[in-house]
Amino acid sequence: MPDPVVRPGSEEEWEALMHQLRQQPKVQPRPFFYARVRARLTTPRPWLPGWGRVPAYLALLGLLMLAVSGDDALLPPAAAAGHYPSQAPQFLPH
């Protein structure tokens, strides 16, 4: 693996950049920031979202789950491949 190319003066540029960063004032959070964070973390959150507390939405969700998770017991069984010879592909030798 080749050695990285070091530009002349790059060390001085790096030191100047670090000096500029040290000179900038430290940013402080807004007043009462931590109090708001603590209040949000300690408030109990409901285990259901807002729409889930409406009975009509829950009934709709239940019906949708029943419709999607059916076991297809009411459908007729699938036809075997050779059951309908007119629809099955026929390969005849030439």
Side-chain angles (χ1 to χ4, degrees):
M1 185 177 238
D3 292 329
V5 178
V6 178
R7 296 182 320 175
S10 63
E11 191 67 33
E12 291 82 20
E13 290 175 10
W14 181 254
E15 289 298 324
L17 177 64
M18 293 304 292
H19 181 70
Q20 287 176 0
L21 289 176
R22 282 187 222 115
Q23 296 299 324
Q24 293 192 4
K26 293 190 178 194
V27 179
Q28 297 294 325
R30 291 182 171 179
F32 305 109
F33 173 75
Y34 293 114
R36 288 193 304 258
V37 169
R38 187 177 300 118
R40 181 167 285 191
L41 290 176
T42 57
T43 55
R45 299 187 73 177
W47 62 277
L48 272 178
W51 60 267
R53 290 185 223 121
V54 179
Y57 287 136
L58 290 178
L60 247 150
L61 182 63
L63 287 174
L64 179 67
M65 288 176 59
L66 284 174
V68 172
S69 68
D71 62 351
D72 299 334
L74 299 177
L75 296 177
H83 186 67
Y84 300 106
S86 61
Q87 293 177 355
Q90 296 177 1
F91 299 104
L92 300 175
H94 291 277

